Amino acid sequence: MAERPEDLNLPNAVVTRIIKEALPDGVNVSKDARLAISKAASVFVLYATSCANNFAMKAKRKTLSGADVLAAMSDMEFERFVEPLQLSLDAFRKGQKNKKDAAEKRKKSKEQNTSTESTEDGKDGEKDDSKEELIEIDDDDEEENGEEEEESGDEEEEAAEEEDDREEEEENEEN
């Protein structure tokens, strides 16, 4: 939880950028107006979070899901935003899945390239042991420096997504 009330405010730069994108060119917004919009947006986010948390608590969960937020929007009488938010959520999930698939393809491709290089022959027809040793060292370094972290992060992300999916299914069954 925030230590000071100011910690709950949205960053001014973000709010200013959103305001500029929403208004036509040549429209100026005073500092007081930006501050008021920022505070109103912060209050809205806190209220929406609180309502979504109520739905999660009713379902005896501690994790808020996208379905909780969508239900909260309906509960707060913002039904007209539910469909666009659902589309946005679906697009985000699709993008995350595409990123994950692309990362897996790169990893498989890299593994295939590494195994192909390690089986190549040297100039004299014999296997080039120095090249193979270099590849083995490179493989070990890569695993120590990042692949293990990537895999554990992917596994955690998959587990979180699976939990969210189960929670959504449970909620849909209840409704």
Side-chain angles (χ1 to χ4, degrees):
M1 192 69 187
E3 294 178 16
R4 300 173 294 161
E6 300 85 40
D7 292 343
L8 299 174
N9 291 336
L10 297 171
N12 289 331
V14 173
V15 173
T16 300
R17 182 173 39 92
I18 293 170
I19 292 170
K20 285 182 178 180
E21 289 175 2
L23 296 174
D25 290 337
V27 175
N28 294 323
V29 179
S30 71
K31 186 176 179 180
D32 290 343
R34 282 195 309 263
L35 182 62
I37 292 170
S38 177
K39 290 198 182 281
S42 296
V43 168
F44 176 79
V45 169
L46 291 170
Y47 182 56
T49 302
S50 176
C51 289
N53 188 47
N54 289 339
F55 282 100
M57 287 173 47
K58 285 178 188 175
K60 298 180 181 176
R61 291 181 282 110
K62 292 183 178 182
T63 303
L64 299 181
S65 68
D68 295 328
V69 175
L70 294 172
M73 294 301 286
S74 292
D75 190 48
M76 296 181 333
E77 299 180 7
F78 283 102
E79 288 89 6
R80 71 182 201 161
F81 293 109
V82 172
E83 185 178 343
L85 285 173
Q86 182 65 53
L87 293 173
S88 178
L89 181 62
D90 292 342
F92 172 77
R93 287 180 176 160
K94 184 178 179 181
Q96 291 296 92
K97 185 179 184 318
N98 290 343
K99 278 184 182 178
K100 181 180 172 186
D101 292 346
E104 287 177 9
K105 285 180 183 178
R106 282 193 305 270
K107 184 176 178 183
K108 286 180 183 178
S109 173
K110 190 174 185 179
E111 288 173 356
Q112 288 175 351
N113 289 343
T114 303
S115 66
T116 303
E117 289 175 2
S118 65
T119 58
E120 288 180 354
D121 291 340
K123 290 181 182 176
D124 58 349
E126 295 179 11
K127 196 172 184 179
D128 188 358
D129 292 332
S130 62
K131 188 174 185 179
E132 184 175 326
E133 288 176 22
L134 287 175
I135 292 171
E136 288 176 8
I137 291 171
D138 289 344
D139 286 347
D140 291 341
D141 289 344
E142 288 173 6
E143 288 175 7
E144 290 175 7
N145 290 336
E147 286 184 10
E148 291 175 348
E149 291 175 17
E150 261 185 35
E151 290 174 6
S152 65
D154 288 345
E155 291 170 2
E156 290 173 11
E157 185 176 83
E158 286 178 22
E161 287 177 8
E162 289 175 6
E163 181 181 334
D164 289 343
D165 291 343
R166 277 182 292 196
E167 291 170 356
E168 286 180 22
E169 289 174 9
E170 290 172 7
E171 186 174 308
N172 289 338
E173 291 173 4
E174 290 174 7
N175 292 334

